[in-house]
Amino acid sequence: MKEEIQETKNFLQHISDDIHLFIRDTMPDGMVLFTQVVAKIVLLLLLLIALGLFFKQLIRLGYKLTRNHSEKPLLKSLYDSKVLYSVSNFIAVGVTKSMITAIFYRHPKSHIFLDTTFDLIFVVVFAILYIRSLKAVEQYFFLKGDWSRITGIRAVTQTLKIFGYILFIFVGVSLLFQISLLTIFKSLGAMTALILLIFRDTVLGFITGIHVAATKNVKVGDWVGIPKYNIEGTIDDINLLTTKIINFDKTVSTIPTYDLLSTEIKNLQIMSETNTRRIKKSIIFNIKSFKFIDETMFLRLENINLIKGYMQEKKQEIQLEKAEADNDIINGRQLTNIGTFRIYAMNYLKNNPNIDQKGRLMVRQLDITPQGLPLEIYCFANSSQWENYEQIQADIFDHLLVAAQKFDLEVMQTNVK
């Protein structure tokens, strides 16, 4: 291997000599030195490009040979993120730098400049390799479908990416101006407060990413609601600084990532996963339409199949109580139209195939308002799909609003006078 490298250096040295002598014999004296240096720099760059293309072709060939294994997450993430290409560039820069002496041995004063230049190129190439490696880590977990970890991984990789940028800039400045890194870092000590202020959102985003990954409260793909911003949609991306949410009206909202930690977030994904969605809606009745059920109304309601058993049971209880009492007193056992309708609504929900019977199911009275008495329907539809949910909810209230007329109940539309 050493002999091959030495032969390559001798070959390049021979080409350099030919260029050197050709320019010396053909160019004016005042342009000889400048032209020789430029021509040799071009030769060096051509060598760098040729080596880069050569190593990239080797990588492509190797990838084709391992086609049967190329779909594995690790290899595919490395290839898709172009990490291997960056490695080839890194090797190409290293080999080219080692040839500087062979090509420029007649111009020793240019060695310092070229060494510094290639050191800076090394920093740039290594920075690209570093960033692509972090991207490969994200891609690996993405291909594995490990959504519970991807948010935390992104928080870590994006934080490392930012600190990597800063470090590479410092290294570049150190090489360019011949200043030690220790001196640069010492000079930043007095700017700590300013740096923390500048990177406040970054630090908070990093902490939030770790917290979200650890608690698994939310993740990419979750259906969430954020009352603070009046947002409801699906999380499309969580990165270090911002979280992107696709709203159901096809608009896109972005919020600071640290809001996932400091703001109320309603994770509605459980509804999608269990295929159920809550119905919580009220009908307001005019209190003036409430009354006791008389014999005529009793006979009419007794024919309704959903409350037939209930009516017959209550009829027996009322008759038994009246037989023991001397008078028909108001505080005796009686039925009201609003109470009976509440039982009807409850039985209607229990017999509705579109309602999840395992979930909580209630028909309850809320606090009386100036508009009347709200009767709330609380249950869960057995479909979380938006279109189906709205259809189920509408069908329920269409029916109950019309059925209320059979009980002589008046649904409020205006304020009571």
Side-chain angles (χ1 to χ4, degrees):
M1 186 67 180
K2 290 182 179 180
E3 293 178 356
E4 293 175 353
I5 293 175
Q6 187 60 45
E7 288 179 2
T8 304
K9 287 183 178 181
N10 293 337
F11 175 73
L12 290 173
Q13 185 174 332
H14 179 70
I15 295 176
S16 176
D17 286 340
D18 290 343
I19 293 173
H20 185 86
L21 296 174
F22 176 77
I23 293 174
R24 186 192 66 183
D25 295 337
T26 57
M27 295 297 293
D29 292 341
M31 294 291 293
V32 171
L33 180 61
F34 174 77
T35 308
Q36 288 174 339
V37 172
V38 170
K40 292 177 181 180
I41 289 176
V42 171
L43 174 63
L44 198 65
L45 292 177
L46 290 175
L47 176 63
L48 176 61
I49 294 170
L51 288 172
L53 292 174
F54 173 73
F55 289 123
K56 284 181 181 178
Q57 289 300 324
L58 285 180
I59 289 172
R60 288 174 183 170
L61 178 61
Y63 188 75
K64 289 180 179 179
L65 293 175
T66 58
R67 187 176 296 277
N68 295 334
H69 305 283
S70 60
E71 295 302 318
K72 290 186 176 180
L74 179 59
L75 185 58
K76 187 170 177 58
S77 61
L78 290 174
Y79 188 80
D80 290 347
S81 302
K82 298 183 179 180
V83 172
L84 300 177
Y85 285 171
S86 292
V87 173
S88 69
N89 291 334
F90 191 81
I91 297 172
V93 172
V95 174
T96 304
K97 184 183 178 183
S98 67
M99 300 299 171
I100 290 176
T101 305
I103 296 175
F104 287 87
Y105 78 97
R106 290 179 179 269
H107 304 283
K109 291 182 179 180
S110 62
H111 289 186
I112 297 176
F113 169 76
L114 291 171
D115 285 340
T116 303
T117 301
F118 269 82
D119 286 340
L120 291 173
I121 294 174
F122 258 125
V123 173
V124 173
V125 172
F126 187 75
I128 295 173
L129 173 61
Y130 175 77
I131 299 304
R132 287 179 176 177
S133 297
L134 295 177
K135 183 180 178 180
V137 173
E138 293 183 12
Q139 184 75 0
Y140 172 74
F141 285 97
F142 177 80
L143 292 173
K144 287 187 66 177
D146 196 348
W147 299 108
S148 62
R149 294 185 182 180
I150 189 65
T151 300
I153 294 297
R154 281 184 174 175
V156 173
T157 55
Q158 291 182 12
T159 302
L160 292 175
K161 190 181 296 184
I162 290 174
F163 284 109
Y165 285 139
I166 296 172
L167 179 61
F168 291 128
I169 290 172
F170 287 166
V171 172
V173 171
S174 173
L175 293 172
L176 188 61
F177 297 101
Q178 299 299 310
I179 304 172
S180 68
L181 282 174
L182 184 60
T183 303
I184 295 175
F185 285 124
K186 283 182 178 179
S187 64
L188 292 175
M191 300 174 63
T192 303
L194 179 61
I195 293 172
L196 290 176
L197 180 62
I198 294 173
F199 292 102
R200 171 183 173 272
D201 289 353
T202 302
V203 174
L204 291 175
F206 173 74
I207 295 172
T208 302
I210 297 300
H211 174 77
V212 169
T215 61
K216 300 179 182 178
N217 291 333
V218 293
K219 62 182 182 299
V220 173
D222 277 2
W223 170 14
V224 298
I226 307 177
K228 177 181 177 180
Y229 299 111
N230 194 26
I231 290 174
E232 184 173 329
T234 303
I235 297 178
D236 183 64
D237 182 45
I238 302 176
N239 57 44
L240 193 61
L241 298 178
T242 59
T243 295
K244 183 167 73 172
I245 298 173
I246 307 296
N247 300 309
F248 292 130
D249 59 0
K250 301 302 181 181
T251 59
V252 178
S253 299
T254 56
I255 63 170
T257 296
Y258 58 77
D259 268 350
L260 298 179
L261 188 60
S262 60
T263 302
E264 177 191 3
I265 305 292
K266 290 184 177 181
N267 194 332
L268 308 175
Q269 185 63 19
I270 184 70
M271 292 195 298
S272 179
E273 293 175 355
T274 60
N275 200 32
T276 59
R277 187 171 181 179
R278 186 183 70 176
I279 296 174
K280 186 176 182 289
K281 197 172 181 180
S282 301
I283 302 174
I284 301 179
F285 291 102
N286 185 353
I287 297 176
K288 290 184 178 181
S289 66
F290 296 171
K291 62 182 180 181
F292 292 120
I293 296 177
D294 57 21
E295 188 66 27
T296 302
M297 188 177 182
F298 195 101
L299 292 174
R300 186 174 80 244
L301 297 180
E302 193 176 20
N303 293 323
I304 299 175
N305 62 331
L306 287 178
I307 55 173
K308 186 173 184 179
Y310 171 79
M311 298 296 290
Q312 291 174 351
E313 179 184 347
K314 293 302 178 183
K315 183 177 182 179
Q316 293 177 1
E317 293 179 2
I318 292 171
Q319 289 176 346
L320 181 62
E321 186 170 324
K322 285 185 176 181
E324 296 176 354
D326 295 333
N327 298 308
D328 186 11
I329 54 176
I330 192 172
N331 63 316
R333 180 69 63 86
Q334 298 191 62
L335 293 179
T336 63
N337 59 344
I338 183 65
T340 305
F341 177 76
R342 180 165 46 83
I343 299 300
Y344 171 82
M346 188 71 176
N347 290 339
Y348 174 75
L349 295 175
K350 287 182 178 180
N351 288 273
N352 193 323
N354 295 317
I355 299 301
D356 179 25
Q357 301 301 322
K358 295 181 180 180
R360 191 176 297 278
L361 196 157
M362 291 188 298
V363 179
R364 61 173 183 166
Q365 294 181 0
L366 302 182
D367 293 340
I368 297 174
T369 69
Q371 287 73 39
L373 175 69
L375 195 68
E376 183 183 77
I377 307 300
Y378 192 105
C379 59
F380 289 85
N382 60 9
S383 176
S384 61
Q385 190 175 10
W386 198 358
E387 297 87 344
N388 294 341
Y389 166 76
E390 292 294 347
Q391 185 64 42
I392 293 170
Q393 182 175 236
D395 288 344
I396 290 172
F397 282 88
D398 287 348
H399 178 87
L400 293 179
L401 287 169
V402 176
Q405 299 176 20
K406 297 291 185 180
F407 294 79
D408 295 341
L409 291 169
E410 180 183 344
V411 178
M412 285 302 301
Q413 292 180 292
T414 59
N415 292 339
V416 180
K417 295 182 178 179

